[in-house]
Amino acid sequence: MATFTERMAPVLVLWLAVSLSGTWAVDKGNFKTCDQSSFCKRQRALKPGESPYRALLETMELTNTRLTLQLINDNNKVRLLLELYRLQGNITRVKINELKPLKLRYEVPDVLIRDPPTEPLSLLSQDENGVVLSLGAESQRVIVSARPFRLDIMEGREVLMSLNSRGLLAFEHLRMRKDTQADPEAEKKEETDPAKQAETAKEEEEKVEDGMWEETFKSHSDSKPNGPSAVSLDFSLPGVEHVYGIPEHADTLRLKTTENGDPYRLYNLDVFQYELYNPMALYGAVPVMLAHNAQRTTGIFWLNAAETWVDISSNTAGKTVFGKMLDYVQGSSETPQTDVRWISESGIIDVFIMLGPTPKDVFAQYASLTGTQAFPPLAAVGYHQCRWNYNDQEDVTSVDAGFDEHDIPYDYIWLDIEHTDGKRYFTWDPHKFASPKEMLQGLMDKKRKMVAIVDPHIKVDTNYKIHNEIRSRSFYIKNKDGGDYEGWCWPGSAGYPDFTRADMRDWWASMFAYDQYEGSMENLYTWNDMNEPSVFNGPEVTMHKDALHGAWEHRDVHNLYGFYVQMATAEGLIQRSGGVERPFVLTRAFFAGSQRYGAVWTGDNAAEWDHLKVSIPMCLSLGLVGISFCGADVGGFFKSPSTELLVRWYQTGAYQPFFRAHAHLDTPRREPWLFGPENTALIREAVRQRYTLLPYWYQQFYHAHRTGQPIMRPLWVEYPEDPATFALDDEFLIGRDLLVHPVTEEGARGVTAYLPGKDEVWFDVHTFQKHNGAQNLYIPVTISSIPVFQRGGSIIPRKIRVRRSSSCMMHDPYTLYVALNPQRTAEGELYIDDGHTFNYEKEFIHRRLSFANNLLSSVNLAPDAQFSTRSWIERIVILGASKPSKVILKTDDGQESQLEFDFDSSMSVLTLRKPGMNAGVDWNVMLQ
Amino acid sequence: MMTCQTPYILLLLCVGVSAVEVQRPRGVPLSKRQFYEENKPFTCLDGSRTIPFDRVNDDYCDCQDSSDEPGTAACPNGSFHCTNAGFRPGFIPSSRINDGICDCCDTTDEYNSGAACQNTCREMGRKERESLQKMAEITKEGFLLKQQLIQEAKRGLEDKKAKHSDVQISKKDLENMVEALRTVKETAEQPEKEAKERHLKAWEDQKAVIQMEKDKARMTEVFPELDDDADGFVSVAELLSHSELDPDSDGSFTEAEAQGLLGGVDQVDAVTFESVWNNIKEKYISESNADTPAPVETPTEEIREPASDNDSEQYPEDDIPDEEEEEEEEEEEEDDDQDEGDYKSPPTTQTQEKKDDDDEGTMPPYEQETQNLIDAAQKARDAFDETEKALREVDDQIKNLEKEISFDFGPSAEFAYLYSQCYELTTSEYTYRLCPFNRVSQKPKFGGSETNLGTWGHWAGPEDNIYSLMKYEHGTGCWQGPNRSTMIKVTCGKETVLVSTSEPSRCEYLMEFISPAVCQEPPNPDSALHGHEEL
């Protein structure tokens, strides 16, 4: 769902016509460059060199939990307060604020799941040049240098990261506006000569610098009553050539250097027809960057919700492979280094330095700060059918029936904005959706579900209950003059509830109660779109920065808005069931911590091959910063895909965490069966592959929820020492055991997949062909091919009996795929719960499956957990096996029985027929 | 633990009065019963392998073709047969066995899921029989109506053919008449033209005289104006004060230029000024009235222009105009005729009179003799135009008739009765209008302009039933989308009525239209239900 159509109010159509001028690409002129954002321009103009900041060591205070120290800017004598914390789990937190700010500066609340627990710091040495602190038990130290101020984090003799090493720390202190002291009108009257008057005005502006106290972009002016307030800090990463993260950008997985263009921008925006491979801001922002080399992975979490720009430079950028080799053979002393610099418009510097050392450690460290992926209901991991818009109940019924007729499973059908009564969320169009409960019941009878959109812009209409309640409670965001902020969005004039208020969020959550949200039922879930927030007539299609959230400006909280909308909505879905059912909420805008509330998608993409390709790095980047439940609109939102592109997109989407087809209102219909029987069969097969793997996917979600590890992973996460994996973003891992290289080239006859790990073997999941690791494998493909490999050494459970929906498969038996490594061992897990409630916290089955010494066994990993399943093991397929003479099953009651088997010697595949034991009990299978 | 189930179902079949028990594995249709012989090894239906019989329906898939598990969900692409006694038997994908959803009306698909299914076969059978019967009645009546439509169409076609040849004859007559009247007209127009030219020439001459006198009078006024020192001569210096007279208008009016204007001398007297005046009168701006220059205009060219913007022959060529449009067209034609008639008559329009008043006054009326010639010519023109118009109408009529005669109104022209009819359907928001073989449109109920949802394209049904769908295309374009188009699904009924409309895809409309013209010869109503029944 996106921006504009002819169905908008006429005013907007006009706006559209002017602003879009009929082209199929983003109008870059609608969005700011760094040069057009005054603080970015100001900050970027600072050159590296001697920093004006000096640490006043005599002010140092060291308590058990933190170190504080004042910094002084020798140019203007403004003092800052530095706080340094050692956090549990190898994290260092650095906070810098004004010592005595004119008024409070914004510190981001609600993103951290708790006050991070600290560990003691101890002073190792101190002299007039600085202090050395020990970071806990390991040989890690922080060196605080006084003049200029700088921090170096060391391990042994190695510098892991340096702060302000380039002297780009900048902290614009809050100040009184000087030119408001005098009456500028009076002054001007004295000046009779117009030329002279202009000159004077210009001089004055230059004194305060352009855009410090007021800034205009296109026709929008930002009143900036607090004046300049930007913060900035640089980080040096010695030995690092690869940095990742800071989504959301439509760019490669490995971040590029930004010296020759704009920095990467983090500012949640509704970008119409976004362009690929550039650093422009998109719908969401997670200010987290990962740095990686073969020895170590670290992370930087810059906790600031204002508009933020990130510059990246590298001393090896631009060097060819040959050049690097030359350096190597000539023994060049220059170690590779990446420098990054963060610039935010307001707030404070609050940065968490996650010191790894492994990728998994960094994920765990970040999860300890902002939480883990919400554990979704199992059905949400299935296939979602969406379109803007399913026209009416009859349409919903017939699409639902279409899936049955063509025997394609799906779990959720979606309704976009047209389902409402005039874009009034929480309502239904009285003609097209006259009896929503009947419709929902019809879906429930088939064990299927629905998602309906609820956007945060509220139609200003005194006959609309939601609006009246928000207005009467004064829950709307206010404009700079104190009135309710109004902007244009889908319903026309709309107000924007202030989701930063806890009382507003509570009220919003209560609106999802079954007796409040008329026509809703327990199989109705929610989609939050346009929550950047999108304001059609606002600057950069979003809210004016001088709008007010209580004491804070929108400028301070902008990137948090979407996070809060999803938080309140998810809370509503939890509350309506009395805390029993897991919610499912999709959001377009997000921030650090959004993973706790549901799924995100990559917004309004287009039906183009490059958009299919970029869906991989976009979701990988999100996974690296905690947001695992990611997907792209299958088929592409804008424009109409060719049949080949649509099929390839289903094949790719089936192996990405959030699997939803979606289409723009103005595109021709594209339900899976509309492209002839061959293509219907291809799409059916892709969706079925998804459903057979649901047990594995669900297990990945469980892990992501428990540990914060990403589900969809770049290869380097599992093979951190293999530089060949560092920039790969046309293939990925699901968990650690499945490697997917989707076909994303038009007319492809083959793909080359890198199979990592010199000690690994990989089995083609379709043919069971075995391949060695650490090689580039050329795989010939046809239109039906989805190159997927199972890692030797893994056990993956599947449900082969694909049914109408995931709920219909609940009690079905499992087939275990045991892929042996060269040591003839394998390990895996089996996770089972009820699939939809919070009871999983106590009631679940979690078993370790392991194969060694010709013995396959299932062991309980959670003996305290209670759950029983009707599911059983119907088949065990062992890849890379040799032929046994007999196979014995031993169940926990001591019973032994011989299993029948089938051995395919050409592929070394052993299939054990119908062992039949319950999936939740202990058992052993012996190959003899 | 794995589920247990009975591999057999007991079927109680009522054939007449006797009850027979047929034993076969669950999910197997009678037609395939012979392949599932109890206690004999079972060979997969694709012949790929043979398994012991106790592995049929044992909830494990042994055959690649899924044939060993007709009654369980174990095989990926199996199908399950429901007998559905009392209704129609059918197959469902075996993935729907025991999934908790009742698919077979006889509940046999949910034998082990705990789903509480009701046997609804009898009820469904009854309903289906009722609706089939109803449909059969409708079809029967519709088919009778269709026969009438075919007869009517036949008669209509004959009428049209007859009319066509009649009109052909009257066309010939009209053509001859047009030619004759053209000669009459041209004969009358020659003397008219000459007389008018004479009249005009006389008027022009007279105007020239008047103009000259005016010129002279003005010159007499101007001379003293220019002669600033009133010495009876206009000098170079005096001329130079009138910078508008600069011959090359380059912004500098030099003495040499002024001298040039005075014919090479330094000053001229009132008499010599006459020749100078001719050179400067167009530019001269009177000192007393400097901001109202009165450049001599020649409005004569404008007079010739007809005061109409549609002098070019615009003849709308809509294929099958509906009634409204036809009326409009006729009006336009009349306008056209009027313009043509006006084109050589004396100036009569208000604008022209006004312009004439401004200057040399009105052209005097024609002398009686000339007027008589004009009247005669006008009469001949009128007669000619009227006949020519009649001829055009006849041509249209012929075109329309030919089109109608050759139009594809179905195998027996049973759809011909829809031609030039329109049918409306009003929904909550819009009124939809279908004019078969012409166009489909949509108009907002509460004001707003009409949108064209497509004009007649072609029959678009499947090969075996091409007349079941009509396609209307090239309607109003959609924003960033295709041009609107509409599919009309025609189903059998007694009445002719537009029953539903939807927009399944953006700007692609689907409407259901009932007409007896698609009613097929009704089959024997008894065979309809029992024909496919296994019992």
Side-chain angles (χ1 to χ4, degrees):
Chain A
M1 254 287 330
T3 30
F4 305 97
T5 73
E6 61 181 330
R7 294 194 175 174
M8 273 310 302
V11 177
L12 289 168
V13 175
L14 189 69
W15 190 92
L16 167 80
V18 173
S19 64
L20 298 179
S21 38
T23 54
W24 270 117
V26 65
D27 184 351
K28 285 191 178 174
N30 283 336
F31 302 102
K32 288 185 186 176
T33 60
C34 177
D35 260 0
Q36 290 166 319
S37 197
S38 74
F39 78 92
C40 186
K41 186 180 179 184
R42 258 189 337 264
Q43 295 290 325
R44 221 186 181 202
L46 296 180
K47 295 286 170 243
E50 192 116 323
S51 172
Y53 287 97
R54 183 160 53 90
L56 302 170
L57 297 179
E58 65 278 15
T59 63
M60 185 174 84
E61 286 176 36
L62 182 63
T63 69
N64 206 20
T65 59
R66 69 169 188 174
L67 170 136
T68 61
L69 186 63
Q70 289 178 22
L71 308 179
I72 187 161
N73 179 336
D74 279 329
N75 292 344
N76 59 17
K77 305 297 171 208
V78 174
R79 287 189 183 201
L80 305 179
L81 180 68
L82 167 81
E83 295 170 73
L84 201 117
Y85 300 83
R86 171 71 182 165
L87 303 183
Q88 282 176 18
N90 206 12
I91 305 168
T92 299
R93 181 182 194 176
V94 176
K95 248 175 119 166
I96 303 175
N97 197 351
E98 288 182 58
L99 182 65
K100 287 177 183 159
L102 206 56
K103 56 188 278 193
L104 283 181
R105 299 181 65 121
Y106 190 67
E107 298 188 34
V108 175
D110 300 315
V111 166
L112 301 178
I113 50 174
R114 56 181 172 169
D115 242 354
T118 56
E119 282 181 352
L121 285 162
S122 58
L123 190 65
L124 290 180
S125 66
Q126 178 177 12
D127 62 18
E128 71 279 10
N129 296 320
V131 295
V132 181
L133 299 154
S134 164
L135 288 175
E138 293 159 61
S139 60
Q140 286 181 353
R141 286 157 294 146
V142 183
I143 301 169
V144 183
S145 306
R147 185 192 291 265
F149 164 70
R150 139 176 198 153
L151 291 175
D152 292 279
I153 298 171
M154 315 273 298
E155 185 174 282
R157 311 167 81 182
E158 197 187 345
V159 179
L160 302 181
M161 196 183 293
S162 306
L163 280 67
N164 199 34
S165 53
R166 288 191 297 153
L168 294 170
L169 166 64
F171 209 106
E172 292 180 337
H173 62 282
L174 298 178
R175 61 201 84 179
M176 297 298 290
R177 186 171 188 169
K178 290 202 178 98
D179 60 348
T180 48
Q181 316 268 331
D183 178 8
E185 285 303 315
E187 261 178 33
K188 273 179 194 160
K189 273 170 201 157
E190 285 166 31
E191 302 284 348
T192 43
D193 182 354
K196 199 179 165 192
Q197 189 182 319
E199 218 176 81
T200 315
K202 204 177 159 197
E203 264 175 25
E204 256 176 27
E205 267 175 46
E206 274 169 3
K207 224 172 1 187
V208 287
E209 263 197 63
D210 240 0
M212 273 187 168
W213 292 94
E214 185 162 22
E215 169 167 9
T216 300
F217 177 65
K218 304 190 96 175
S219 59
H220 302 283
S221 84
D222 174 1
S223 64
K224 300 181 104 169
N226 296 322
S229 58
V231 297
S232 159
L233 182 58
D234 68 272
F235 301 78
S236 292
L237 301 158
V240 169
E241 290 182 86
H242 291 81
V243 288
Y244 308 94
I246 53 168
E248 182 177 24
H249 300 100
D251 207 350
T252 50
L253 172 66
R254 180 195 180 181
L255 297 171
K256 296 173 181 136
T257 57
T258 57
E259 287 142 315
N260 299 319
D262 259 5
Y264 283 98
R265 188 183 190 200
L266 293 171
Y267 191 57
N268 295 354
L269 292 174
D270 179 2
V271 181
F272 184 79
Q273 289 169 350
Y274 62 78
E275 221 175 75
L276 306 186
Y277 304 113
N278 73 42
M280 283 174 74
L282 287 179
Y283 313 94
V286 184
V288 175
M289 181 186 282
L290 270 61
H292 177 72
N293 63 25
Q295 289 77 44
R296 180 181 283 271
T297 310
T298 57
I300 299 169
F301 171 27
W302 175 266
L303 181 52
N304 187 304
E307 179 184 346
T308 297
W309 299 78
V310 185
D311 253 325
I312 300 171
S313 57
S314 153
N315 62 357
T316 54
K319 272 193 188 166
T320 59
V321 174
F322 178 75
K324 286 184 193 170
M325 271 171 60
L326 208 64
D327 283 353
Y328 180 75
V329 295
Q330 293 173 345
S332 164
S333 58
E334 194 182 25
T335 44
Q337 175 168 316
T338 297
D339 295 306
V340 298
R341 183 188 182 199
W342 300 69
I343 305 168
S344 291
E345 186 176 12
S346 68
I348 64 162
I349 293 173
D350 190 1
V351 56
F352 298 80
I353 297 160
M354 301 174 286
L355 290 169
T358 68
K360 286 194 166 67
D361 292 331
V362 174
F363 301 138
Q365 285 151 7
Y366 181 62
S368 75
L369 299 171
T370 66
T372 61
Q373 178 64 53
F375 191 30
L378 170 61
V381 188
Y383 172 62
H384 299 257
Q385 181 66 37
C386 186
R387 172 173 184 83
W388 176 24
N389 210 103
Y390 286 118
N391 298 326
D392 48 28
Q393 288 180 213
E394 209 177 301
D395 199 2
V396 169
T397 307
S398 87
V399 170
D400 176 71
F403 277 91
D404 285 344
E405 187 188 337
H406 298 93
D407 202 15
I408 300 170
Y410 87 93
D411 271 87
Y412 288 80
I413 187 165
W414 291 53
L415 295 180
D416 210 321
I417 51 172
E418 311 298 330
H419 85 277
T420 59
D421 181 8
K423 317 297 185 304
R424 294 171 186 86
Y425 305 105
F426 301 101
T427 71
W428 303 83
D429 184 296
H431 304 290
K432 294 167 182 161
F433 294 90
S435 44
K437 283 194 175 177
E438 213 172 276
M439 170 178 66
L440 288 164
Q441 186 60 52
L443 292 170
M444 197 181 283
D445 290 345
K446 296 239 193 105
K447 303 197 179 182
R448 286 173 179 153
K449 301 163 186 13
M450 173 171 267
V451 172
I453 199 163
V454 174
D455 288 350
H457 51 258
I458 300 300
K459 186 178 176 73
V460 174
D461 169 7
T462 50
N463 294 315
Y464 178 28
K465 180 186 87 174
I466 299 283
H467 164 74
N468 289 338
E469 292 222 17
I470 294 172
R471 173 160 284 182
S472 69
R473 289 161 201 255
S474 197
F475 279 158
Y476 278 127
I477 295 170
K478 305 291 187 284
N479 60 36
K480 66 176 165 37
D481 305 316
D484 283 351
Y485 180 93
E486 278 186 27
W488 277 87
C489 209
W490 295 123
S493 193
Y496 292 76
D498 188 354
F499 281 90
T500 65
R501 288 175 63 163
D503 53 354
M504 156 61 209
R505 294 197 300 274
D506 288 345
W507 174 85
W508 178 266
S510 73
M511 288 299 101
F512 289 87
Y514 295 120
D515 59 350
Q516 292 291 328
Y517 189 167
E518 278 175 41
S520 68
M521 281 175 45
E522 60 265 37
N523 63 338
L524 180 69
Y525 295 79
T526 310
W527 169 18
N528 294 148
D529 198 356
M530 315 297 280
N531 52 344
E532 293 76 22
S534 178
V535 180
F536 291 163
N537 59 342
E540 304 189 84
V541 202
T542 191
M543 188 165 284
H544 293 76
K545 283 177 172 170
D546 52 12
L548 293 169
H549 300 251
W552 303 111
E553 283 190 285
H554 185 68
R555 178 186 337 275
D556 301 312
V557 305
H558 175 84
N559 285 347
L560 274 179
Y561 191 76
F563 162 91
Y564 276 130
V565 172
Q566 192 190 20
M567 175 197 275
T569 304
E571 187 55 34
L573 295 194
I574 294 170
Q575 280 177 15
R576 70 174 186 181
S577 71
V580 172
E581 297 288 331
R582 286 176 239 165
F584 171 70
V585 181
L586 178 72
T587 182
R588 192 170 69 183
F590 51 82
F591 190 69
S594 285
Q595 68 270 16
R596 307 200 295 266
Y597 306 112
V600 306
W601 93 109
T602 61
D604 298 340
N605 62 359
E608 291 168 3
W609 287 92
D610 276 348
H611 274 268
L612 169 59
K613 286 191 192 89
V614 86
S615 72
I616 299 172
M618 286 181 81
C619 279
L620 285 175
S621 297
L622 277 163
L624 289 177
V625 299
I627 299 178
S628 263
F629 205 176
C630 169
D633 284 347
V634 169
F637 177 69
F638 291 112
K639 305 172 83 176
S640 196
S642 68
T643 306
E644 185 192 356
L645 176 57
L646 184 66
V647 167
R648 290 302 190 197
W649 213 317
Y650 268 98
Q651 293 173 339
T652 305
Y655 286 90
Q656 292 178 348
F658 177 56
F659 182 25
R660 181 186 74 151
H662 188 30
H664 189 276
L665 182 70
D666 290 308
T667 58
R669 292 291 279 244
R670 54 168 101 133
E671 283 68 46
W673 49 89
L674 295 176
F675 304 89
E678 291 93 0
N679 294 303
T680 307
L682 289 167
I683 294 171
R684 178 193 299 123
E685 173 56 26
V687 179
R688 281 184 170 206
Q689 286 185 25
R690 170 63 163 230
Y691 276 78
T692 62
L693 274 170
L694 282 180
Y696 182 71
W697 275 108
Y698 194 50
Q699 192 177 301
Q700 298 312 312
F701 273 96
Y702 180 71
H703 271 282
H705 174 62
R706 285 285 182 221
T707 68
Q709 304 297 313
I711 294 175
M712 186 172 160
R713 296 175 192 170
L715 270 58
W716 64 260
V717 167
E718 292 297 331
Y719 301 90
E721 291 170 18
D722 182 357
T725 63
F726 292 177
L728 286 181
D729 61 6
D730 56 353
E731 60 180 280
F732 55 90
L733 294 163
I734 301 165
R736 58 187 290 236
D737 298 334
L738 277 185
L739 183 146
V740 187
H741 190 304
V743 182
T744 57
E745 293 282 345
E746 185 170 17
R749 311 278 283 275
V751 298
T752 300
Y754 180 71
L755 301 182
K758 62 182 193 304
D759 304 321
E760 302 276 28
V761 292
W762 295 89
F763 293 88
D764 184 312
V765 299
H766 309 296
T767 64
F768 302 141
Q769 172 88 46
K770 186 163 82 175
H771 304 280
N772 288 324
Q775 65 154 327
N776 279 303
L777 178 70
Y778 179 80
I779 307 145
V781 298
T782 66
I783 187 65
S784 64
S785 308
I786 316 176
V788 179
F789 300 87
Q790 181 177 347
R791 192 176 57 81
S794 67
I795 301 175
I796 290 182
R798 297 189 190 213
K799 284 187 173 180
I800 299 297
R801 307 179 180 193
V802 176
R803 304 196 191 240
R804 257 186 285 229
S805 70
S806 63
S807 312
C808 293
M809 296 162 63
M810 172 88 184
H811 307 298
D812 280 339
Y814 291 89
T815 294
L816 304 179
Y817 286 81
V818 181
L820 299 184
N821 61 16
Q823 294 75 46
R824 300 180 50 76
T825 66
E827 283 219 349
E829 290 175 19
L830 186 59
Y831 175 82
I832 308 173
D833 64 20
D834 68 12
H836 61 98
T837 71
F838 282 105
N839 298 345
Y840 74 84
E841 285 158 5
K842 287 187 181 135
E843 298 171 11
F844 60 97
I845 292 166
H846 193 190
R847 307 197 69 83
R848 166 157 325 281
L849 307 170
S850 51
F851 185 96
N853 303 317
N854 282 325
L855 181 76
L856 175 65
S857 58
S858 169
V859 181
N860 199 349
L861 280 176
D864 298 333
Q866 303 290 312
F867 193 68
S868 62
T869 179
R870 282 165 58 189
S871 297
W872 47 288
I873 311 295
E874 71 168 328
R875 190 185 289 103
I876 296 168
V877 182
I878 304 175
L879 312 179
S882 45
K883 188 176 181 178
S885 53
K886 66 176 178 181
V887 179
I888 309 287
L889 166 69
K890 202 168 167 183
T891 46
D892 58 339
D893 54 8
Q895 296 270 330
E896 283 196 14
S897 56
Q898 204 166 326
L899 296 182
E900 218 177 289
F901 61 85
D902 189 60
F903 185 73
D904 174 355
S905 55
S906 69
M907 285 290 165
S908 304
V909 177
L910 176 69
T911 305
L912 310 185
R913 184 187 192 279
K914 208 181 176 187
M917 59 285 195
N918 185 282
V921 304
D922 289 345
W923 49 264
N924 288 307
V925 170
M926 278 166 291
L927 311 185
Q928 292 178 341
Chain B
M1 269 298 152
M2 63 164 291
T3 55
C4 303
Q5 63 260 172
T6 31
Y8 286 90
I9 44 170
L10 202 66
L11 295 173
L12 283 175
L13 305 172
C14 302
V15 178
V17 284
S18 65
V20 182
E21 287 181 10
V22 180
Q23 278 204 322
R24 53 188 150 127
R26 195 193 299 273
V28 174
L30 258 189
S31 58
K32 288 190 176 150
R33 188 190 148 218
Q34 74 268 23
F35 302 119
Y36 298 82
E37 271 193 79
E38 202 182 346
N39 300 326
K40 283 192 184 165
F42 172 75
T43 301
C44 305
L45 297 187
D46 63 0
S48 57
R49 69 191 280 204
T50 298
I51 54 173
F53 191 76
D54 63 8
R55 296 205 169 163
V56 171
N57 278 346
D58 72 337
D59 208 16
Y60 186 86
C61 192
D62 291 288
C63 296
Q64 286 210 325
D65 68 352
S66 306
S67 57
D68 63 316
E69 297 294 317
T72 79
C75 286
N77 291 308
S79 57
F80 175 85
H81 182 263
C82 346
T83 308
N84 292 344
F87 185 55
R88 205 162 355 97
F91 288 93
I92 59 165
S94 58
S95 64
R96 293 180 197 169
I97 298 168
N98 290 330
D99 66 351
I101 300 165
C102 311
D103 291 287
C104 300
C105 66
D106 66 3
T107 76
T108 52
D109 61 318
E110 295 299 316
Y111 56 85
N112 196 25
S113 70
C117 298
Q118 303 287 323
N119 188 323
T120 54
C121 291
R122 246 162 244 293
E123 182 61 15
M124 284 172 73
R126 190 180 59 75
K127 277 192 182 146
E128 184 171 79
R129 266 188 298 275
E130 275 173 15
S131 83
L132 277 176
Q133 200 155 2
K134 216 173 189 175
M135 198 57 225
E137 277 163 27
I138 289 171
T139 308
K140 201 168 144 193
E141 283 180 58
F143 188 69
L144 285 176
L145 286 169
K146 179 179 174 179
Q147 300 313 309
Q148 289 174 22
L149 291 176
I150 291 173
Q151 289 312 313
E152 274 169 33
K154 221 180 236 168
R155 277 198 299 280
L157 188 64
E158 278 158 15
D159 289 354
K160 272 170 199 125
K161 280 183 176 158
K163 193 159 181 204
H164 184 253
S165 46
D166 288 355
V167 179
Q168 287 285 18
I169 292 164
S170 61
K171 181 185 173 186
K172 268 250 149 65
D173 295 347
L174 277 170
E175 275 170 351
N176 294 336
M177 225 157 105
V178 165
E179 280 321 301
L181 287 171
R182 190 194 305 281
T183 317
V184 173
K185 182 182 83 151
E186 281 166 4
T187 316
E189 277 175 344
Q190 191 54 35
E192 178 205 30
K193 191 179 166 203
E194 286 163 7
K196 277 166 93 174
E197 274 168 6
R198 272 197 305 280
H199 183 82
L200 190 65
K201 176 104 193 343
W203 170 230
E204 302 263 303
D205 292 348
Q206 197 188 333
K207 272 200 296 191
V209 172
I210 295 168
Q211 182 64 39
M212 228 160 74
E213 279 164 6
K214 275 191 179 170
D215 241 24
K216 221 170 195 163
R218 183 127 190 274
M219 184 185 74
T220 322
E221 282 166 25
V222 164
F223 189 83
E225 249 180 57
L226 269 174
D227 184 11
D228 288 336
D229 55 3
D231 63 350
F233 292 95
V234 170
S235 65
V236 166
E238 284 162 346
L239 210 55
L240 281 174
S241 68
H242 279 259
S243 58
E244 76 270 16
L245 298 180
D246 180 10
D248 56 5
S249 305
D250 63 352
S252 88
F253 190 18
T254 64
E255 287 192 18
E257 283 171 338
Q259 205 166 34
L261 286 177
L262 295 183
V265 296
D266 287 340
Q267 57 178 26
V268 291
D269 61 11
V271 180
T272 327
F273 183 71
E274 200 175 325
S275 60
V276 174
W277 174 239
N278 277 330
N279 292 336
I280 63 170
K281 65 182 177 189
E282 311 247 320
K283 288 186 173 177
Y284 182 78
I285 298 172
S286 170
E287 284 164 13
S288 61
N289 200 6
D291 40 25
T292 52
V296 181
E297 250 186 84
T298 45
T300 40
E301 280 190 22
E302 281 178 34
I303 293 173
R304 296 260 164 81
E305 295 277 325
S308 161
D309 55 1
N310 91 30
D311 53 330
S312 67
E313 187 106 1
Q314 283 180 330
Y315 202 72
E317 282 189 299
D318 247 17
D319 281 345
I320 312 153
D322 68 24
E323 283 171 44
E324 281 175 17
E325 275 183 354
E326 224 155 16
E327 277 169 28
E328 279 170 17
E329 264 174 52
E330 275 164 20
E331 280 165 21
E332 274 176 47
E333 280 170 36
E334 279 160 20
D335 288 346
D336 285 349
D337 294 347
Q338 205 106 46
D339 292 337
E340 282 165 35
D342 282 347
Y343 132 76
K344 279 171 194 162
S345 59
T348 52
T349 62
Q350 284 186 338
T351 23
Q352 285 160 344
E353 274 173 359
K354 202 171 135 207
K355 274 186 189 148
D356 287 350
D357 282 343
D358 284 348
D359 219 322
E360 293 92 0
T362 324
M363 182 165 78
Y366 292 119
E367 290 144 37
Q368 189 55 46
E369 197 183 334
T370 310
Q371 190 58 50
N372 288 346
L373 285 170
I374 290 169
D375 289 347
Q378 188 57 40
K379 209 171 155 193
R381 268 194 295 270
D382 289 348
F384 170 78
D385 290 342
E386 204 172 301
T387 319
E388 204 186 39
K389 185 181 155 200
L391 177 60
R392 275 205 304 266
E393 278 168 12
V394 166
D395 267 338
D396 285 349
Q397 217 178 343
I398 290 171
K399 249 200 280 180
N400 287 341
L401 278 170
E402 282 172 351
K403 188 154 191 179
E404 220 179 313
I405 287 165
S406 63
F407 209 92
D408 182 3
F409 287 124
S412 313
E414 60 269 40
F415 292 97
Y417 80 105
L418 298 174
Y419 192 80
S420 77
Q421 301 293 313
C422 289
Y423 302 88
E424 285 192 352
L425 173 68
T426 300
T427 65
S428 55
E429 281 178 86
Y430 298 101
T431 296
Y432 293 87
R433 189 174 156 94
L434 164 66
C435 303
F437 309 111
N438 182 6
R439 67 199 290 265
V440 188
S441 60
Q442 173 200 52
K443 201 176 162 134
K445 238 162 90 178
F446 308 106
S449 59
E450 189 182 82
T451 306
N452 180 355
L453 304 186
T455 51
W456 168 249
H458 50 89
W459 292 104
E463 243 170 69
D464 57 339
N465 196 9
I466 194 164
Y467 297 100
S468 60
L469 273 179
M470 294 173 161
K471 169 113 188 183
Y472 293 79
E473 51 204 3
H474 310 304
T476 312
C478 274
W479 181 74
Q480 290 201 351
N483 282 26
R484 287 173 176 79
S485 64
T486 304
M487 281 291 220
I488 306 283
K489 199 174 142 198
V490 196
T491 50
C492 164
K494 290 185 278 187
E495 330 227 275
T496 301
V497 56
L498 192 58
V499 285
S500 80
T501 172
S502 59
E503 188 183 354
S505 195
R506 187 98 170 97
C507 303
E508 289 174 16
Y509 295 82
L510 177 66
M511 298 183 184
E512 280 183 274
F513 185 54
I514 287 179
S515 160
V518 285
C519 294
Q520 304 291 325
E521 176 141 35
N524 182 347
D526 293 334
S527 67
L529 183 57
H530 301 294
H532 309 289
E533 207 165 1
E534 201 180 60
L535 307 183

